[in-house]
Coordinates of all heavy atoms in Angstrom, one line a residue:
E363 N 0.5 -43.6 -9.0 CA 1.2 -44.8 -9.5 C 1.8 -45.5 -8.2 O 1.7 -46.7 -8.1 CB 2.3 -44.4 -10.4 CG 1.8 -43.9 -11.8 CD 2.9 -43.6 -12.7 OE1 4.1 -43.9 -12.4 OE2 2.7 -43.0 -13.8
I364 N 2.5 -44.8 -7.3 CA 3.0 -45.4 -6.1 C 2.5 -44.5 -4.9 O 2.6 -43.3 -5.0 CB 4.5 -45.4 -6.1 CG1 5.1 -46.2 -7.3 CG2 5.1 -45.8 -4.8 CD1 6.6 -46.2 -7.4
G365 N 1.9 -45.2 -3.9 CA 1.4 -44.5 -2.8 C 2.5 -43.8 -2.0 O 2.5 -42.6 -1.8
V366 N 3.3 -44.6 -1.4 CA 4.4 -44.2 -0.5 C 5.7 -44.8 -0.9 O 5.8 -46.1 -1.0 CB 4.1 -44.5 1.0 CG1 5.3 -44.0 1.9 CG2 2.8 -43.8 1.4
R367 N 6.7 -44.0 -1.1 CA 8.1 -44.6 -1.4 C 9.0 -44.3 -0.3 O 9.3 -43.2 0.1 CB 8.6 -43.9 -2.7 CG 9.9 -44.5 -3.2 CD 10.4 -43.8 -4.4 NE 11.6 -44.4 -5.0 CZ 12.8 -44.2 -4.6 NH1 13.1 -43.2 -3.7 NH2 13.9 -44.8 -5.2
L368 N 9.4 -45.4 0.4 CA 10.3 -45.3 1.6 C 11.7 -45.5 1.2 O 12.1 -46.6 0.8 CB 9.8 -46.4 2.6 CG 8.4 -46.2 3.2 CD1 8.1 -47.4 4.2 CD2 8.3 -44.9 4.0
D369 N 12.5 -44.5 1.5 CA 14.0 -44.5 1.3 C 14.7 -44.0 2.5 O 15.6 -43.2 2.4 CB 14.3 -43.7 0.1 CG 15.7 -44.0 -0.5 OD1 16.4 -44.9 0.1 OD2 16.1 -43.3 -1.4
G370 N 14.2 -44.5 3.7 CA 14.8 -44.1 5.0 C 14.6 -45.1 6.0 O 13.9 -46.1 5.8
D371 N 15.1 -44.9 7.2 CA 15.0 -45.9 8.3 C 13.9 -45.5 9.3 O 13.6 -44.3 9.5 CB 16.3 -46.0 9.0 CG 17.4 -46.6 8.1 OD1 17.1 -47.3 7.1 OD2 18.6 -46.2 8.3
Y372 N 13.3 -46.5 10.0 CA 12.5 -46.3 11.1 C 11.2 -45.5 10.8 O 10.7 -44.7 11.6 CB 13.2 -45.7 12.3 CG 14.4 -46.6 12.7 CD1 15.7 -46.1 12.4 CD2 14.2 -47.8 13.4 CE1 16.8 -46.9 12.7 CE2 15.4 -48.6 13.7 CZ 16.6 -48.1 13.4 OH 17.7 -48.9 13.7
A373 N 10.7 -45.7 9.6 CA 9.4 -45.0 9.3 C 8.3 -45.9 9.8 O 8.3 -47.1 9.9 CB 9.3 -44.9 7.8
N374 N 7.2 -45.2 10.2 CA 6.0 -45.8 10.6 C 4.8 -45.4 9.8 O 4.3 -44.3 9.9 CB 5.7 -45.4 12.1 CG 4.5 -46.2 12.7 OD1 3.9 -47.1 12.0 ND2 4.1 -45.8 13.9
V375 N 4.4 -46.3 8.8 CA 3.4 -46.0 7.9 C 2.2 -46.8 8.3 O 2.2 -48.1 8.1 CB 3.8 -46.3 6.4 CG1 2.7 -45.9 5.4 CG2 5.1 -45.5 6.1
H376 N 1.1 -46.2 8.8 CA 0.0 -47.0 9.3 C -1.4 -46.3 9.1 O -1.5 -45.1 9.0 CB 0.2 -47.3 10.8 CG 0.2 -46.0 11.6 ND1 -1.0 -45.6 12.2 CD2 1.2 -45.2 12.0 CE1 -0.7 -44.5 13.0 NE2 0.6 -44.2 12.8
D377 N -2.4 -47.2 8.9 CA -3.8 -46.8 8.8 C -4.1 -45.8 7.7 O -4.9 -44.9 7.8 CB -4.2 -46.2 10.2 CG -4.1 -47.2 11.3 OD1 -4.6 -48.3 11.2 OD2 -3.5 -46.8 12.3
N378 N -3.4 -46.0 6.6 CA -3.6 -45.1 5.4 C -4.5 -45.9 4.4 O -4.5 -47.1 4.4 CB -2.3 -44.8 4.7 CG -1.4 -44.0 5.7 OD1 -1.6 -42.8 5.9 ND2 -0.4 -44.7 6.2
S379 N -5.2 -45.1 3.6 CA -6.0 -45.7 2.5 C -5.4 -45.3 1.2 O -5.3 -44.2 0.9 CB -7.5 -45.2 2.6 OG -8.2 -45.7 1.5
I380 N -4.9 -46.4 0.5 CA -4.0 -46.1 -0.7 C -4.6 -46.8 -1.9 O -5.0 -48.0 -1.9 CB -2.6 -46.6 -0.5 CG1 -2.0 -45.9 0.7 CG2 -1.7 -46.3 -1.7 CD1 -0.6 -46.4 1.1

Side-chain angles (χ1 to χ4, degrees):
E363 293 183 5
I364 298 174
V366 179
R367 184 178 187 274
L368 293 176
D369 196 3
D371 297 331
Y372 302 105
N374 185 6
V375 182
H376 63 93
D377 300 310
N378 300 285
S379 175
I380 304 173

